[in-house]
């Protein structure tokens, strides 16, 4: 085979791979859409799950799980964003380039790979029982925050590293302190990158099942009124639906709920894209 | 009259001994040029004067630098206070990705304005505008940008950006301004403008400029220091250094047989 042919062959191979990726995505999303959209109705969004005659929760809607998931996402935002972003910037600006800094980042990178069930175990052992949070919204939210913290930290680190050091020097040379330099320059200039990490993390938190299963989600819990209450959540609801014997109705509900979860995540990403473009326009170098 | 006195300055980057026993004093309201081949320690030297090397992990500075009678490397000195009084302009123009106005206003905004009694207070909007105009005029940029202060600094040409960086440094009302190869990224016309500006600034400021361009050193400076592999080889009146250098190393360098 000559060089031209070989190149053509590899090029076609790449083309096939790209096609597989695109097809897989279209098939999955299309399948969920076709099967789920039929369930969407006012009732679906405004009613709690109700049992049918056999006691399976396939009637009603998904109000409780939807609200629970939104609460979880909001709490994770409140907990994980400040801790993750500031922690990362602190490590980068104060320990960057030192041995302690390198060891710490190695730990963070490894934490990003820890399976979610292990975080769940940690959450139930440490938060729920040892620290007496009980099975609760807050225990689940803290567990999910720990789970996504490495994601936010790594994304923040990369965004901060992308800010040219000449801008950092300019600020320091004008007599700004490190903290002023971070607040007035580094953070604003790296916002678009940090946002990407945040959205990824929140989406991940909203979709996780294992950690919340161990730390506070409950079948038919009412909408939580306090941090110590138990709650429902979309991924857990979907899981429950696949476990009932009444397949036809349950699967339809599961697809409807999955579509909601996907819509939430796509919506978050759209918000992120808009904010990112705005920041990129504002701070360009 | 010396404004900066450097005594036995030694700088190490880990194992690398980057500056060796440098002792020299720099005169007030004069331009001192630092020349020497690449890697000889010019940037390291100039960054010691406003304690920018403190930022580099593993950099160790020994010796004294006395500015206005006090040692800036004394234990109780906060480097941030030193940098508020000494301006610096870098090799590549590095304006903030903000408006022209915001660039110049940044330092007065965070430091406040120095009053007659030496204390500083928060600047009013009016005072900020005055300071920005004054600084831009002093940097010979006002006429070119006065109608577009709100535009991004990145809409300016390279030479204008560098003058903006000079204005930004002037806004802290420094006594000393350090320039690290300020023209190496600029074309000859922009370079000439900066050189004119340097000579004009000398009336009010003490200027230290690193340059690898020997004609530039000869054109603008009063005194010239020649560095070679971390050592101060020769230091004196610029004409003398260029016409009758006393050291063979200096002569080799300025006649272009090295470097
Ligand atoms: N950040 C740094 N870390 C380690 N070594 C450095 C650093 N900056 C400069 N050096 C070393 O110090 C010496 C002098 O460098 P520099 O002052 O940048 O030279 P010049 O500005 O004259 O070209 C060089 O040997 C260089 O490798
Ligand atoms: Mg240099």
């Amino acid at each position: 085979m000559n060089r031209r042919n070989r190149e053509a062959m590899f090029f076609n191979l790449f083309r096939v791979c790209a096609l597989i990726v695109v097809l897989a995505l279209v098939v999955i999303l299309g399948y969920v859409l076709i099967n789920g959209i039929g369930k969407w109705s006012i009732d679906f969004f405004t009613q709690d799950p109700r049992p049918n005659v056999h006691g399976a929760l396939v009637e009603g809607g998904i109000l409780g799980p939807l609200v629970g998931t939104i609460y979880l996402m909001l709490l994770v935002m409140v907990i994980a964003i400040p801790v993750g972003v500031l922690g990362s910037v602190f490590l980068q600006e104060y320990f960057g380039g030192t041995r302690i800094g390198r060891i710490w980042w190695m730990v963070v990178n490894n934490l990003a790979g820890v399976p979610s069930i292990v975080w769940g175990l940690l959450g139930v052992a440490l938060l729920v029982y040892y620290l007496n949070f009980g099975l609760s919204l807050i225990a689940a939210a803290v567990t999910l925050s720990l789970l996504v913290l490495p994601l936010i930290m790594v994304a923040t680190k990369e965004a901060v590293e992308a800010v040219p050091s000449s801008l950092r020097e300019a600020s320091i040379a004008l007599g700004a302190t490190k903290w002023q330099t971070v607040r007035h320059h580094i953070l604003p200039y790296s916002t678009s990158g940090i946002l990407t990490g945040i959205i990824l993390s929140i989406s991940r938190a909203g979709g996780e099942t294992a950690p919340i299963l161990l730390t506070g989600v409950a079948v038919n819990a009412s909408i939580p009124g306090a941090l110590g209450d138990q709650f429902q959540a979309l991924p857990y609801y979907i899981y429950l639906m696949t476990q009932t014997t009444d397949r036809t109705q349950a699967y339809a509900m599961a697809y409807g709920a999955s579509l909601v979860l996907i819509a939430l995540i796509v919506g978050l990403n759209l918000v992120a894209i808009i904010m990112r473009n705005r920041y990129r326009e504002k701070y360009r170098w | 009259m010396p404004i900066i006195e450097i005594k036995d300055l030694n700088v190490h980057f880990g194992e690398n001994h980057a500056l060796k026993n440098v002792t020299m004093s720099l005169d007030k309201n004069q331009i001192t040029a630092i020349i020497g081949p690449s890697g000889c320690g010019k940037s390291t030297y100039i960054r010691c004067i406003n304690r920018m090397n403190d930022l580099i992990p593993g950099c160790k500075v020994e010796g004294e630098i006395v500015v206005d009678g006090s040692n800036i490397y004394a234990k109780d000195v906060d480097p941030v206070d030193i940098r508020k009084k000494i301006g610096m302009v870098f090799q590549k123009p590095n304006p903030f990705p903000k408006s022209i106005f915001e660039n110049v206003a940044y330092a007065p905004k965070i430091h406040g304005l120095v009053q007659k009694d030496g204390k500083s207070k928060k600047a009013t909007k009016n005072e900020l505008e005055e300071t920005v105009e004054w600084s831009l005029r002093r940097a010979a940029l006002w006429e070119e940008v006065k109608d577009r202060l709100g535009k991004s600094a990145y809409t300016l040409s390279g030479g204008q950006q560098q003058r903006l960086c000079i204005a930004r440094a002037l806004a802290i009302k420094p006594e000393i301004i350090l320039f690290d190869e300020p023209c190496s990224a600029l074309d000859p016309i922009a370079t000439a403008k900066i050189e004119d500006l340097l000579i004009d600034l000398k009336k009010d400021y003490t200027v230290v400029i690193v340059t690898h361009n020997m004609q530039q050193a000869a054109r603008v400076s009063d005194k010239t220091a020649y560095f070679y592999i971390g050592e101060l080889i020769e230091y004196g009146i610029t004409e003398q250094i260029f016409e009758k250098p006393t050291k063979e190393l200096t002569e080799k360098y300025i006649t272009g047989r090295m470097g």
Side-chain angles (χ1 to χ4, degrees):
Chain A
M1 208 165 23
N2 67 20
R3 228 174 54 205
R4 276 269 287 290
N5 282 340
R6 198 150 62 207
E7 180 163 324
M9 188 189 84
F10 274 110
F11 198 74
N12 281 326
L13 196 67
F14 294 149
R15 204 176 278 171
V16 169
C17 290
L19 201 69
I20 290 174
V21 172
V22 172
L23 269 182
L25 208 68
V26 168
V27 166
I28 290 169
L29 287 181
Y31 197 71
V32 173
L33 184 71
I34 290 164
N35 287 293
I37 196 77
K39 270 287 155 192
W40 281 26
S41 65
I42 306 272
D43 284 354
F44 187 67
F45 288 99
T46 54
Q47 295 193 358
D48 271 328
R50 268 198 323 271
N52 64 2
V53 284
H54 307 296
L57 284 167
V58 294
E59 304 277 337
I62 56 154
L63 179 66
L66 176 60
V67 173
T69 288
I70 290 175
Y71 278 7
L72 272 181
M73 286 175 154
L74 288 176
L75 279 173
V76 169
M77 268 193 234
V78 170
I79 300 167
I81 293 174
V83 175
V85 171
L86 293 182
S88 182
V89 169
F90 178 81
L91 277 174
Q92 203 54 10
E93 296 295 312
Y94 293 83
F95 289 97
T98 67
R99 186 204 275 276
I100 299 176
R102 274 197 301 277
I103 291 175
W104 181 254
W105 279 113
M106 214 168 73
V107 172
V108 172
N109 278 323
N110 278 296
L111 283 181
V114 171
S116 57
I117 188 76
V118 176
W119 287 109
L121 184 64
L122 183 86
V124 69
L126 189 71
L127 300 171
V128 174
Y129 294 116
Y130 186 74
L131 294 176
N132 264 327
F133 281 35
L135 292 166
S136 60
L137 186 59
I138 187 69
V142 172
T143 306
L144 287 176
S145 297
L146 289 174
L147 174 109
V148 301
L149 214 48
L151 290 181
I152 295 190
M153 290 189 72
V154 170
T156 303
K157 175 182 188 243
E158 280 167 7
V160 162
E161 275 174 346
V163 176
S165 62
S166 61
L167 295 177
R168 193 175 280 114
E169 287 195 324
S171 171
I172 294 287
L174 288 169
T177 60
K178 260 189 175 173
W179 174 235
Q180 285 171 328
T181 302
V182 166
R183 204 158 40 104
H184 300 150
H185 303 288
I186 311 287
L187 282 181
Y189 305 161
S190 51
T191 303
S192 73
I194 294 175
L195 270 175
T196 313
I198 287 175
I199 296 298
L200 206 72
S201 306
I202 305 304
S203 308
R204 174 89 191 274
E208 278 293 342
T209 319
I212 58 173
L213 194 65
L214 297 184
T215 52
V217 82
V219 183
N220 240 1
S222 43
I223 288 176
L227 292 176
D229 293 348
Q230 288 197 267
F231 59 96
Q232 303 181 65
L234 283 176
Y236 181 61
Y237 174 81
I238 295 166
Y239 165 75
L240 277 182
M241 289 300 101
T242 61
Q243 301 301 302
T244 55
T245 41
D246 192 353
R247 290 278 270 301
T248 30
Q249 238 205 323
Y251 270 56
M253 292 301 269
Y255 280 120
S258 298
L259 195 59
V260 173
L261 202 52
I262 291 174
L264 265 181
I265 289 164
V266 170
L268 270 174
N269 273 292
L270 285 180
V271 172
I273 289 170
I274 293 167
M275 283 171 75
R276 221 153 54 199
N277 286 346
R278 189 165 299 168
Y279 267 93
R280 210 176 279 155
E281 270 315 295
K282 198 157 158 220
Y283 300 116
R284 232 187 347 207
W285 56 79
Chain B
M1 203 182 75
I3 181 172
I4 305 174
E5 283 175 86
I6 296 168
K7 294 175 195 156
D8 292 320
L9 183 68
N10 278 282
V11 179
H12 294 262
F13 291 106
E15 299 287 284
N16 182 359
H17 197 172
L19 281 181
K20 299 165 191 161
N21 283 317
V22 175
T23 297
M24 64 191 278
S25 54
L26 286 78
D27 291 328
K28 199 173 164 75
N29 291 27
Q30 297 233 305
I31 299 180
T32 306
I34 312 294
I35 61 169
S38 209
C40 71
K42 304 183 294 296
S43 295
T44 305
Y45 168 87
I46 203 168
R47 291 163 63 96
C48 283
I49 302 176
N50 65 345
R51 294 196 59 171
M52 283 298 279
N53 283 334
D54 289 30
L55 302 180
I56 298 168
C59 174
K60 203 168 91 223
V61 180
E62 295 156 335
E64 276 186 21
I65 296 184
V66 177
V67 177
D68 270 342
S70 53
N71 177 15
I72 63 167
Y73 279 93
K75 278 226 165 57
D76 56 343
V77 171
D78 184 352
V80 169
D81 290 329
I82 301 301
R83 298 184 201 119
K84 279 185 204 169
K85 288 185 285 197
I86 300 179
M88 183 162 211
V89 175
F90 296 83
Q91 192 161 349
K92 237 182 98 232
N94 56 355
F96 299 128
K98 302 185 178 206
S99 73
I100 294 168
F101 183 90
E102 290 289 328
N103 265 278
V104 185
Y106 181 65
K109 243 187 203 167
I110 60 169
H111 301 321
L113 291 176
V114 182
Q115 302 296 102
K116 288 213 176 63
D117 58 6
K119 294 201 178 93
S120 59
K121 69 159 188 61
K122 201 172 177 308
T124 63
K125 192 164 163 283
N126 232 336
E127 288 170 323
L128 268 186
E129 281 168 5
E130 275 170 26
T131 308
V132 168
E133 178 174 347
W134 177 86
S135 308
L136 285 169
R137 279 192 191 283
R138 201 68 188 81
L141 189 62
W142 175 252
E143 292 302 325
E144 290 157 66
V145 301
K146 65 181 177 195
D147 299 323
R148 47 169 172 153
L149 294 175
K151 288 264 161 60
S152 163
Y154 286 77
T155 59
L156 300 175
S157 72
Q160 289 173 322
Q161 286 184 21
Q162 195 62 305
R163 275 179 284 145
L164 179 67
C165 293
I166 296 173
R168 184 174 66 182
L170 290 174
I172 65 175
K173 305 279 165 90
E175 276 185 76
I176 300 165
I177 314 177
L178 312 172
F179 292 84
D180 190 353
E181 303 197 27
C183 303
S184 62
L186 305 182
D187 62 58
I189 294 171
T191 299
K193 278 194 183 148
I194 302 262
E195 287 181 7
D196 289 345
L197 178 58
L198 285 173
I199 291 167
D200 184 52
L201 287 175
K202 183 167 93 163
K203 289 190 296 224
D204 304 313
Y205 304 93
T206 304
V207 171
V208 186
I209 177 174
V210 169
T211 175
H212 61 233
N213 177 336
M214 275 176 290
Q215 287 81 20
Q216 183 169 65
R219 278 194 300 266
V220 303
S221 72
D222 301 293
K223 280 191 170 179
T224 297
Y226 173 64
F227 281 76
Y228 184 67
I229 324 183
E231 279 183 77
L232 174 60
I233 303 295
E234 190 164 355
Y235 175 44
I237 309 286
T238 297
E239 285 91 57
Q240 263 175 31
I241 296 277
F242 281 93
E243 277 153 30
K244 288 201 288 295
T246 57
K247 299 273 171 35
E248 205 190 322
L249 275 171
T250 318
E251 193 188 340
K252 264 193 187 163
Y253 182 68
I254 60 178
T255 53
R257 277 184 283 143
M258 176 183 72

PDB file of all heavy atoms in Angstrom, chain A residues 79-94:
ATOM      1  N   ILE A  79     -22.007  25.327  48.398  1.00  0.00           N
ATOM      2  CA  ILE A  79     -20.896  24.771  49.183  1.00  0.00           C
ATOM      3  C   ILE A  79     -19.626  24.632  48.341  1.00  0.00           C
ATOM      4  O   ILE A  79     -18.550  25.082  48.714  1.00  0.00           O
ATOM      5  CB  ILE A  79     -21.275  23.384  49.758  1.00  0.00           C
ATOM      6  CG1 ILE A  79     -22.504  23.516  50.668  1.00  0.00           C
ATOM      7  CG2 ILE A  79     -20.099  22.791  50.532  1.00  0.00           C
ATOM      8  CD1 ILE A  79     -23.131  22.185  51.027  1.00  0.00           C
ATOM      9  N   ALA A  80     -19.762  24.014  47.168  1.00  0.00           N
ATOM     10  CA  ALA A  80     -18.566  23.590  46.439  1.00  0.00           C
ATOM     11  C   ALA A  80     -17.894  24.724  45.662  1.00  0.00           C
ATOM     12  O   ALA A  80     -16.676  24.721  45.505  1.00  0.00           O
ATOM     13  CB  ALA A  80     -18.913  22.445  45.489  1.00  0.00           C
ATOM     14  N   ILE A  81     -18.664  25.705  45.190  1.00  0.00           N
ATOM     15  CA  ILE A  81     -18.028  26.744  44.376  1.00  0.00           C
ATOM     16  C   ILE A  81     -17.047  27.590  45.181  1.00  0.00           C
ATOM     17  O   ILE A  81     -15.875  27.684  44.813  1.00  0.00           O
ATOM     18  CB  ILE A  81     -19.076  27.634  43.661  1.00  0.00           C
ATOM     19  CG1 ILE A  81     -19.834  26.806  42.626  1.00  0.00           C
ATOM     20  CG2 ILE A  81     -18.408  28.825  42.977  1.00  0.00           C
ATOM     21  CD1 ILE A  81     -20.982  27.550  41.978  1.00  0.00           C
ATOM     22  N   PRO A  82     -17.484  28.184  46.297  1.00  0.00           N
ATOM     23  CA  PRO A  82     -16.509  28.998  47.033  1.00  0.00           C
ATOM     24  C   PRO A  82     -15.327  28.179  47.524  1.00  0.00           C
ATOM     25  O   PRO A  82     -14.168  28.599  47.365  1.00  0.00           O
ATOM     26  CB  PRO A  82     -17.303  29.573  48.206  1.00  0.00           C
ATOM     27  CG  PRO A  82     -18.647  28.972  48.168  1.00  0.00           C
ATOM     28  CD  PRO A  82     -18.834  28.255  46.888  1.00  0.00           C
ATOM     29  N   VAL A  83     -15.607  27.006  48.089  1.00  0.00           N
ATOM     30  CA  VAL A  83     -14.507  26.199  48.625  1.00  0.00           C
ATOM     31  C   VAL A  83     -13.562  25.775  47.502  1.00  0.00           C
ATOM     32  O   VAL A  83     -12.342  25.922  47.603  1.00  0.00           O
ATOM     33  CB  VAL A  83     -15.063  24.954  49.365  1.00  0.00           C
ATOM     34  CG1 VAL A  83     -13.923  24.063  49.819  1.00  0.00           C
ATOM     35  CG2 VAL A  83     -15.913  25.377  50.548  1.00  0.00           C
ATOM     36  N   GLY A  84     -14.139  25.279  46.419  1.00  0.00           N
ATOM     37  CA  GLY A  84     -13.315  24.771  45.318  1.00  0.00           C
ATOM     38  C   GLY A  84     -12.520  25.868  44.638  1.00  0.00           C
ATOM     39  O   GLY A  84     -11.319  25.735  44.421  1.00  0.00           O
ATOM     40  N   VAL A  85     -13.183  26.958  44.306  1.00  0.00           N
ATOM     41  CA  VAL A  85     -12.509  28.028  43.559  1.00  0.00           C
ATOM     42  C   VAL A  85     -11.450  28.698  44.424  1.00  0.00           C
ATOM     43  O   VAL A  85     -10.288  28.825  44.030  1.00  0.00           O
ATOM     44  CB  VAL A  85     -13.536  29.063  43.045  1.00  0.00           C
ATOM     45  CG1 VAL A  85     -12.832  30.273  42.467  1.00  0.00           C
ATOM     46  CG2 VAL A  85     -14.433  28.432  41.988  1.00  0.00           C
ATOM     47  N   LEU A  86     -11.840  29.097  45.630  1.00  0.00           N
ATOM     48  CA  LEU A  86     -10.874  29.793  46.476  1.00  0.00           C
ATOM     49  C   LEU A  86      -9.742  28.864  46.904  1.00  0.00           C
ATOM     50  O   LEU A  86      -8.577  29.260  46.928  1.00  0.00           O
ATOM     51  CB  LEU A  86     -11.566  30.401  47.695  1.00  0.00           C
ATOM     52  CG  LEU A  86     -12.531  31.539  47.350  1.00  0.00           C
ATOM     53  CD1 LEU A  86     -13.153  32.134  48.600  1.00  0.00           C
ATOM     54  CD2 LEU A  86     -11.822  32.631  46.560  1.00  0.00           C
ATOM     55  N   GLY A  87     -10.089  27.607  47.216  1.00  0.00           N
ATOM     56  CA  GLY A  87      -9.055  26.645  47.601  1.00  0.00           C
ATOM     57  C   GLY A  87      -8.034  26.468  46.486  1.00  0.00           C
ATOM     58  O   GLY A  87      -6.829  26.474  46.715  1.00  0.00           O
ATOM     59  N   SER A  88      -8.553  26.359  45.279  1.00  0.00           N
ATOM     60  CA  SER A  88      -7.674  26.141  44.138  1.00  0.00           C
ATOM     61  C   SER A  88      -6.775  27.351  43.894  1.00  0.00           C
ATOM     62  O   SER A  88      -5.565  27.215  43.688  1.00  0.00           O
ATOM     63  CB  SER A  88      -8.542  25.871  42.908  1.00  0.00           C
ATOM     64  OG  SER A  88      -7.742  25.622  41.799  1.00  0.00           O
ATOM     65  N   VAL A  89      -7.363  28.532  43.937  1.00  0.00           N
ATOM     66  CA  VAL A  89      -6.583  29.749  43.712  1.00  0.00           C
ATOM     67  C   VAL A  89      -5.533  29.898  44.811  1.00  0.00           C
ATOM     68  O   VAL A  89      -4.379  30.235  44.544  1.00  0.00           O
ATOM     69  CB  VAL A  89      -7.505  30.988  43.675  1.00  0.00           C
ATOM     70  CG1 VAL A  89      -6.686  32.265  43.702  1.00  0.00           C
ATOM     71  CG2 VAL A  89      -8.369  30.952  42.440  1.00  0.00           C
ATOM     72  N   PHE A  90      -5.927  29.612  46.023  1.00  0.00           N
ATOM     73  CA  PHE A  90      -4.985  29.715  47.141  1.00  0.00           C
ATOM     74  C   PHE A  90      -3.788  28.792  46.916  1.00  0.00           C
ATOM     75  O   PHE A  90      -2.634  29.213  47.006  1.00  0.00           O
ATOM     76  CB  PHE A  90      -5.697  29.357  48.447  1.00  0.00           C
ATOM     77  CG  PHE A  90      -4.805  29.400  49.637  1.00  0.00           C
ATOM     78  CD1 PHE A  90      -4.502  30.606  50.251  1.00  0.00           C
ATOM     79  CD2 PHE A  90      -4.238  28.237  50.137  1.00  0.00           C
ATOM     80  CE1 PHE A  90      -3.660  30.647  51.343  1.00  0.00           C
ATOM     81  CE2 PHE A  90      -3.397  28.275  51.228  1.00  0.00           C
ATOM     82  CZ  PHE A  90      -3.104  29.480  51.833  1.00  0.00           C
ATOM     83  N   LEU A  91      -4.082  27.525  46.587  1.00  0.00           N
ATOM     84  CA  LEU A  91      -3.000  26.573  46.362  1.00  0.00           C
ATOM     85  C   LEU A  91      -2.087  27.024  45.232  1.00  0.00           C
ATOM     86  O   LEU A  91      -0.862  26.920  45.301  1.00  0.00           O
ATOM     87  CB  LEU A  91      -3.574  25.210  45.984  1.00  0.00           C
ATOM     88  CG  LEU A  91      -4.000  24.328  47.139  1.00  0.00           C
ATOM     89  CD1 LEU A  91      -4.673  23.087  46.613  1.00  0.00           C
ATOM     90  CD2 LEU A  91      -2.776  23.954  47.957  1.00  0.00           C
ATOM     91  N   GLN A  92      -2.726  27.555  44.190  1.00  0.00           N
ATOM     92  CA  GLN A  92      -1.985  27.942  43.006  1.00  0.00           C
ATOM     93  C   GLN A  92      -1.119  29.175  43.255  1.00  0.00           C
ATOM     94  O   GLN A  92       0.038  29.232  42.877  1.00  0.00           O
ATOM     95  CB  GLN A  92      -2.999  28.216  41.889  1.00  0.00           C
ATOM     96  CG  GLN A  92      -2.472  28.110  40.513  1.00  0.00           C
ATOM     97  CD  GLN A  92      -1.800  26.793  40.253  1.00  0.00           C
ATOM     98  OE1 GLN A  92      -1.873  25.862  41.043  1.00  0.00           O
ATOM     99  NE2 GLN A  92      -1.102  26.718  39.146  1.00  0.00           N
ATOM    100  N   GLU A  93      -1.694  30.169  43.920  1.00  0.00           N
ATOM    101  CA  GLU A  93      -0.995  31.442  44.079  1.00  0.00           C
ATOM    102  C   GLU A  93      -0.007  31.421  45.248  1.00  0.00           C
ATOM    103  O   GLU A  93       0.978  32.136  45.244  1.00  0.00           O
ATOM    104  CB  GLU A  93      -1.999  32.583  44.283  1.00  0.00           C
ATOM    105  CG  GLU A  93      -2.913  32.815  43.092  1.00  0.00           C
ATOM    106  CD  GLU A  93      -2.152  33.280  41.851  1.00  0.00           C
ATOM    107  OE1 GLU A  93      -1.324  34.198  41.975  1.00  0.00           O
ATOM    108  OE2 GLU A  93      -2.375  32.714  40.776  1.00  0.00           O
ATOM    109  N   TYR A  94      -0.286  30.630  46.263  1.00  0.00           N
ATOM    110  CA  TYR A  94       0.588  30.646  47.434  1.00  0.00           C
ATOM    111  C   TYR A  94       1.520  29.446  47.502  1.00  0.00           C
ATOM    112  O   TYR A  94       2.577  29.515  48.098  1.00  0.00           O
ATOM    113  CB  TYR A  94      -0.234  30.752  48.722  1.00  0.00           C
ATOM    114  CG  TYR A  94      -0.937  32.082  48.853  1.00  0.00           C
ATOM    115  CD1 TYR A  94      -2.152  32.319  48.224  1.00  0.00           C
ATOM    116  CD2 TYR A  94      -0.354  33.120  49.582  1.00  0.00           C
ATOM    117  CE1 TYR A  94      -2.790  33.539  48.323  1.00  0.00           C
ATOM    118  CE2 TYR A  94      -0.983  34.336  49.689  1.00  0.00           C
ATOM    119  CZ  TYR A  94      -2.202  34.553  49.059  1.00  0.00           C
ATOM    120  OH  TYR A  94      -2.820  35.765  49.153  1.00  0.00           O
TER     121      TYR A  94
END
